[in-house]
Amino acid sequence: MDILRMTELYKRFGDQEVLRGLTLSVPEHSIYGFIGKNGAGKTTTMKMILGLLKADSGSIVVHGEPVVYGQTSTNQYLGYLPDVPAFYSFMTAREYLHFCGKMTGFKKAEGEARSQELLELVGLGDEKHRIRGFSRGMKQRLGIAQALLNRPKLLICDEPTSALDPVGRKEILDILVAAREQTTVLFSTHILSDVERICTDVAFLNNGVVEIQGKLSDIKTRYRSREYCIETENEEDLLALRQAFPAMKPLDQNSLTFCEDALSPFDALRFVSDKQIPLRKLERMEPSLESLFLEVAQK
């Protein structure tokens, strides 16, 4: 089942057309990476999902209910973490979650229990300092806890790791993986290594439309490279291969690449066997998200 469906979304600001028929489906209990360069329309799309921005045309459905601008009934199914979350800095993390719980309608005991559960999840269970002293990473973790407070069906995170150091990024990504047990996660980013680390599904946004979307494993299979990499033990054998097969191109010190269209890997293996050349590896090169992203972004 799809927790979120967007169909033919259009949005224009003045003479700038930001979305041009965006269509996207997010499966339930996935970790969905919404990929696009800065200014691609990711934040605009998320504001539309939240009912904070009106689409010029198109439809958005969350958990089977249509999203209507200005009427936020579908937000009961959503949790949202902006790229720079804001808090009452004089509160502690626990006080802030208790406050949010009261606004959500939790009874005192229920709110305290849920707050403790979430603080443990995000690694702030023993934190007693006031929020004004929190690092950027701690604020992001508290923001995730607040966004999960009402047990949303869909957790939306806008660039949650963009300003964090490697340790902070890993912590946030680990929390999002853990949160998948409770909800579906949609997060926008341009940090492709984060997507490859945790995402089950992805969508590439470019020029206001989704160019590629689906399960990450399926996308890598669909765009499977026809290039191979061959690595030898020494430079002499590398030179022998290059002389025998001009289609092979240097990759690094002991590696060559070649395209299946120009050279059969079986011909290369036959030569290696006849000449008894020891190999370190011969493998098909898997497409990287970076190469796919650059291909999409250059359209």
Side-chain angles (χ1 to χ4, degrees):
M1 176 183 173
D2 293 332
I3 192 68
L4 169 67
R5 293 196 312 275
M6 295 179 281
T7 307
E8 290 293 315
L9 286 182
Y10 285 83
K11 183 62 183 178
R12 179 186 292 273
F13 295 100
D15 60 354
Q16 182 182 8
E17 195 171 32
V18 179
L19 300 180
R20 300 184 301 110
L22 183 148
T23 296
L24 178 67
S25 297
V26 177
E28 197 170 14
H29 290 293
S30 60
I31 301 181
Y32 205 104
F34 193 35
I35 305 169
K37 58 188 177 182
N38 291 334
K42 302 187 299 297
T43 298
T44 296
T45 303
M46 291 183 168
K47 287 181 178 179
M48 288 181 175
I49 298 170
L50 293 164
L52 302 176
L53 196 61
K54 186 177 182 179
D56 295 336
S57 63
S59 65
I60 304 173
V61 176
V62 174
H63 195 52
E65 294 186 24
V67 174
V68 179
Y69 170 67
Q71 299 178 22
T72 56
S73 63
T74 49
N75 282 359
Q76 64 183 304
Y77 306 121
L78 302 177
Y80 177 58
L81 175 68
D83 55 344
V84 183
F87 307 96
Y88 294 111
S89 61
F90 60 88
M91 291 182 173
T92 65
R94 192 176 307 278
E95 288 170 345
Y96 180 73
L97 289 188
H98 287 174
F99 170 74
C100 292
K102 289 179 182 178
M103 293 184 64
T104 307
F106 284 2
K107 294 181 179 179
K108 182 178 180 181
E110 181 187 10
E112 290 178 353
R114 182 62 175 161
S115 297
Q116 182 60 34
E117 175 188 350
L118 291 171
L119 289 172
E120 294 292 341
L121 174 69
V122 301
L124 295 174
D126 297 324
E127 183 57 54
K128 294 181 172 56
H129 291 91
R130 305 209 173 271
I131 298 171
R132 68 169 62 93
F134 280 18
S135 67
R136 177 69 184 269
M138 292 171 71
K139 289 179 179 178
Q140 292 294 87
R141 285 188 272 157
L142 178 57
I144 293 175
Q146 186 274 324
L148 289 172
L149 190 63
N150 66 331
R151 295 181 174 87
K153 301 292 184 181
L154 175 64
L155 172 64
I156 300 175
C157 303
D158 191 2
E159 302 278 3
T161 62
S162 60
L164 302 181
D165 60 31
V167 174
R169 280 172 52 205
K170 182 182 183 303
E171 291 174 347
I172 295 301
L173 294 175
D174 288 345
I175 291 169
L176 294 181
V177 171
R180 184 188 175 193
E181 296 181 6
Q182 303 181 22
T183 186
T184 304
V185 179
L186 169 67
F187 78 98
S188 70
T189 186
H190 58 271
I191 304 175
L192 301 179
S193 59
D194 290 353
V195 175
E196 291 199 279
R197 184 181 295 180
I198 70 168
C199 283
T200 60
D201 300 74
V202 297
F204 290 81
L205 180 64
N206 185 51
N207 292 326
V209 297
V210 172
E211 299 278 5
I212 301 173
Q213 67 173 300
K215 290 196 172 298
L216 183 56
S217 57
D218 292 344
I219 288 173
K220 286 193 170 185
T221 299
R222 190 187 322 156
Y223 291 89
R224 193 175 181 184
S225 173
R226 296 180 65 82
E227 282 192 301
Y228 286 80
C229 171
I230 186 168
E231 183 176 347
T232 63
E233 291 283 353
N234 56 67
E235 190 174 350
E236 292 78 9
D237 292 332
L238 204 72
L239 290 173
L241 281 166
R242 289 200 66 187
Q243 289 173 356
F245 304 109
M248 289 188 175
K249 306 299 180 184
L251 181 63
D252 53 39
Q253 186 175 359
N254 287 320
S255 299
L256 299 168
T257 64
F258 62 92
C259 183
E260 192 173 6
D261 295 334
L263 172 64
S264 168
F266 298 106
D267 290 341
L269 281 173
R270 190 175 297 112
F271 180 84
V272 166
S273 177
D274 291 344
K275 299 298 183 181
Q276 296 186 341
I277 295 175
L279 294 182
R280 288 181 179 171
K281 68 179 180 182
L282 172 62
E283 64 181 10
R284 187 191 293 266
M285 297 177 69
E286 290 293 331
S288 66
L289 276 186
E290 182 178 5
S291 64
L292 290 176
F293 178 76
L294 290 174
E295 181 181 334
V296 166
Q298 289 167 1
K299 288 185 178 180

